[in-house]
Amino acid sequence: MASWLKSDAWRLRWLPFLTATAGVVAVFLLQEVPMLRRHALLLALLAGLGFFLPAVRHRLLILFAYGLGLYFIIKSVATWLELPFGGLGIVERFLWFLLGALCIVSALGMGRRRPPEWAVALLMVALGLYFANFTYTHYVANNWLQVIAGVGLTGAAFWHAAAVWVEAELSPHREA
């Protein structure tokens, strides 16, 4: 048992998955607490500071992909089952399930000892699609500040995905 807890499979796949599951459950349980809702952005930004630390960046990215994937899939399925924490529109219920699946596949790819470049590119494509939907939704509602932010985030996500993809194609030591 001790050797399994020290293995890469535990460290890079199971632990992030279990932690992400606990985080998503906590989000659903705590999202109605006014104090947490008011400071959610600050908490997210503080957690995101870890992405600037190279020692934990890879693990946080795996955790982020699992958590995002679980959240998207749960919201989509909850909408189909008409549960209270669903509430997505007709297009979003399909899109969010697809995005959740893309995020989970990305997390599984990043959970390898030598993660392939496509795993991060796939996560960026999923985020780009999410932000494109975000942009369109706010465009229809005439919220121009959110539209401008959405265009920038969509462009940044797709640009990063393309950069990772091109770098992987041009790299002489790429995985076969």
Side-chain angles (χ1 to χ4, degrees), residues 36-49:
L36 293 176
R37 185 175 49 230
R38 187 173 33 223
H39 295 92
L41 181 59
L42 177 62
L43 293 172
L45 289 172
L46 288 174
L49 288 177

Side-chain angles (χ1 to χ4, degrees), residues 69 72 94-104 125-127 129-130:
F72 282 148
F94 291 108
L95 179 65
W96 281 38
F97 189 83
L98 173 67
L99 294 177
L102 292 175
C103 289
I104 296 292
V125 166
L127 289 173
L129 289 172
Y130 169 77

